[in-house]
Amino acid sequence: MAYDFDLFVIGGGSAGVRCARISAGHGARVGVAEERFWGGTCVNVGCVPKKIMVNATEYGQWAEDAAAFGWDLEVKGHDWARLAEARNREVARLSGIYGKLLAGNGVTTFDARAKFLDAHTLQVGEQRVTAERILIATGGTPQRLEIPGAELGLISDDLFTLKALPKRVVVIGAGYIALEFACILRGLGAEVDVMYRAALPLRGFDDDIRTAVVEALQGQGMRLNPDVSPTRITQVNGHLMVAMSNNFMREADAVFFCTGRSPNTAGLGLEEAGVETNASGAVVVDEDHRTSQAHIYALGDVIDRVNLTPMATATGHALADTLFGNKPRKASYDDVPTAVFTNPPIGTVGLSEAEAAARGPVDVYVTRFTPMRHTISGRQGRRTLMKLVVCQKTDKVLGAHMLGEDAAEIMQGIGIAVRMGATKADFDRTIGIHPTAAEEFVTLRTRAREAGVQPPSQQAAE
Ligand code: NDP
């Protein structure tokens, strides 16, 4: 049977666009449907507009700190509307580039929702199309908690349509989005409460980073509320009241639910196509990103694996090369460097101390210091933490973690070293760049502790 397309991609985000573009470059006939905005979450309501707002907070701090370096600046305040206009212009520019990239590579684009009619047929807006292979790359959507009054709360998309800075904000959750949003809103002048159910923020990150980020957030005047969940939101005299499980209340002008994202699989007709999902709605795939139908693939946040843009683009590119480029390959999910754009940011790659110690004995190297800039500025909450987790047996660096200025930029290079299997001795014989914070990663000489070494009797008891 002749199909309309060799590949049809549902979703014009990071994974879908990359896979479509590269597949078309390899000569495939490719169609892509996008119902909302080209570029997906990253470009439109995620990484890009978020980072612009993070940058905005940095200027405010530099302007304040400049006095200590002899500058006489007058800061009259921040204009939210001007920032929003600049941010939206850049987002529109990038979203347009995504559309043009596809057209330039001969991809047929559809500004429409796609839905499976059967395993090879899709309803795309008013049209019916067939495809030999189909890629599901529909991403995810932020979730509110199911509590009374949840509809009064905002989700992350809403930050980018707010007309003004809310004066008092409650952020619910303590993952990537929660902490980044808390820092943006605080950095632009809001009073911020962060409310989370665990004892420390950022579950899954190294415990030293989790502890250090608490100090950093408190240092900039945020109120942290660990070990609680919100139980109800009500509207009182034009304000919101958030009731907490510890019976305390918080008054706020805006409440953000930053409590995770769910895969966009509802209403896609996956049952008609015979594509399986798991209990959280994510499409189930094998290591080649094949779904339960061998010719249907899924990538990006909709598979809920490593929900990061560069992972989506890397896997999308690899799939295109495999299917149409005669270059079968996989993008590895191991040692993926990542950053949380808090203030200061966090950068991390590889295993946390706890993860590494569960696999065997490790040596831990840690340093904490105030960056030179802030010994001058006197700004609080800016202490840097840097940490290496090293395998005792092989001397390999299993994990590198940093909270501090430029952590995201520094960790990209460290990520290459960790990925290549660099040893602590390799780090040690690398000459530092002076004076930088980054040089501390190659001058960590004193072992802070040994972890993961337990007598056999204790292991048996656990
Ligand atoms: P995360 O999984 O990072 O955080 C979700 C937060 O919500 C956690 O603190 C979690 O708590 C909390 N939560 C979940 N369910 C409940 C509940 N029922 N009651 C109370 N609290 C709850 O998700 P995000 O939405 O912040 O981000 C989604 C993903 O997007 C990230 O995992 C990341 O992969 C990606 N991302 C990456 C960024 C970057 O690269 N800088 C920036 C933003 C997002 P608990 O930990 O206790 O479960």
Side-chain angles (χ1 to χ4, degrees), residues 50 145 174-177 180 197 203 258-261 307-308 339:
K50 175 276 303 284
L145 297 182
Y176 279 81
I177 296 178
E180 290 181 348
R197 62 183 175 180
R203 182 163 55 85
C258 302
T259 43
R261 297 171 58 89
N307 297 339
L308 300 172

Side-chain angles (χ1 to χ4, degrees), residues 121-142:
T121 313
L122 295 157
Q123 184 72 38
V124 183
E126 302 297 305
Q127 298 182 51
R128 207 167 260 221
V129 302
T130 59
E132 185 176 1
R133 294 181 173 106
I134 296 170
L135 170 63
I136 304 166
T138 46
T141 302

Side-chain angles (χ1 to χ4, degrees), residues 141-450:
T141 302
Q143 294 304 305
R144 291 179 173 82
L145 297 182
E146 289 181 13
I147 56 168
E151 70 286 354
L152 297 169
L154 305 174
I155 54 170
S156 55
D157 294 7
D158 297 323
L159 178 68
F160 309 113
T161 52
L162 281 181
K163 296 285 175 246
L165 174 74
K167 287 202 167 54
R168 294 163 306 170
V169 182
V170 168
V171 172
I172 303 170
Y176 279 81
I177 296 178
L179 297 199
E180 290 181 348
F181 274 34
C183 289
I184 289 169
L185 292 160
R186 179 73 196 130
L188 295 177
E191 285 174 28
V192 176
D193 262 274
V194 188
M195 212 175 265
Y196 47 98
R197 62 183 175 180
L200 288 172
L202 289 178
R203 182 163 55 85
F205 281 71
D206 186 90
D207 284 344
D208 281 336
I209 294 286
R210 299 175 74 195
T211 308
V213 81
V214 166
E215 191 183 299
L217 300 180
Q218 286 173 334
Q220 55 197 284
M222 268 183 226
R223 188 154 51 171
L224 303 188
N225 306 270
D227 300 312
V228 291
S229 292
T231 53
R232 173 185 294 273
I233 305 175
T234 45
Q235 195 150 28
V236 185
N237 300 331
H239 302 301
L240 299 174
M241 294 298 287
V242 186
M244 298 193 274
S245 52
N246 59 1
N247 296 326
F248 281 88
M249 305 278 272
R250 288 283 180 271
E251 196 172 323
D253 303 303
V255 177
F256 276 96
F257 283 102
C258 302
T259 43
R261 297 171 58 89
S262 291
N264 287 332
T265 45
L268 267 182
L270 296 182
E271 316 74 37
E272 278 71 25
V275 171
E276 284 173 17
T277 54
N278 67 17
S280 62
V283 176
V284 179
V285 290
D286 66 12
E287 60 171 26
D288 296 318
H289 295 106
R290 276 180 204 271
T291 68
S292 46
Q293 291 284 350
H295 68 283
I296 302 179
Y297 298 81
L299 291 176
D301 288 5
V302 77
I303 65 170
D304 198 17
R305 206 161 160 191
V306 174
N307 297 339
L308 300 172
T309 294
M311 203 66 237
T313 49
T315 49
H317 203 131
L319 183 63
D321 284 349
T322 303
L323 296 181
F324 302 108
N326 206 18
K327 279 187 278 185
R329 65 185 188 88
K330 290 188 175 73
S332 169
Y333 283 89
D334 295 334
D335 292 332
V336 175
T338 179
V340 189
F341 292 95
T342 39
N343 179 14
I346 294 165
T348 180
V349 63
L351 303 180
S352 67
E353 179 180 338
E355 286 168 337
R359 299 182 186 188
V362 289
D363 290 326
V364 176
Y365 297 81
V366 186
T367 180
R368 290 220 73 181
F369 57 93
T370 299
M372 198 196 293
R373 177 195 297 276
H374 296 298
T375 56
I376 306 287
S377 77
R379 180 173 287 280
Q380 297 300 297
R382 306 303 293 183
R383 293 235 302 155
T384 292
L385 178 135
M386 292 162 91
K387 174 169 180 177
L388 290 179
V389 180
V390 179
C391 176
Q392 252 183 25
K393 203 164 126 207
T394 62
D395 194 41
K396 276 194 180 163
V397 176
L398 301 177
H401 310 279
M402 174 173 178
L403 174 138
E405 289 181 2
D406 302 319
E409 303 292 340
I410 291 170
M411 202 50 67
Q412 186 68 79
I414 303 284
I416 299 172
V418 171
R419 186 98 197 106
M420 291 176 75
T423 60
K424 178 68 169 57
D426 292 324
F427 273 62
D428 291 347
R429 65 192 169 84
T430 302
I431 305 297
I433 300 173
H434 186 71
T436 62
E439 70 180 316
E440 295 288 327
F441 269 127
V442 296
T443 55
L444 281 167
R445 297 281 182 259
T446 313
R447 189 176 73 163
R449 58 184 174 270
E450 189 178 20

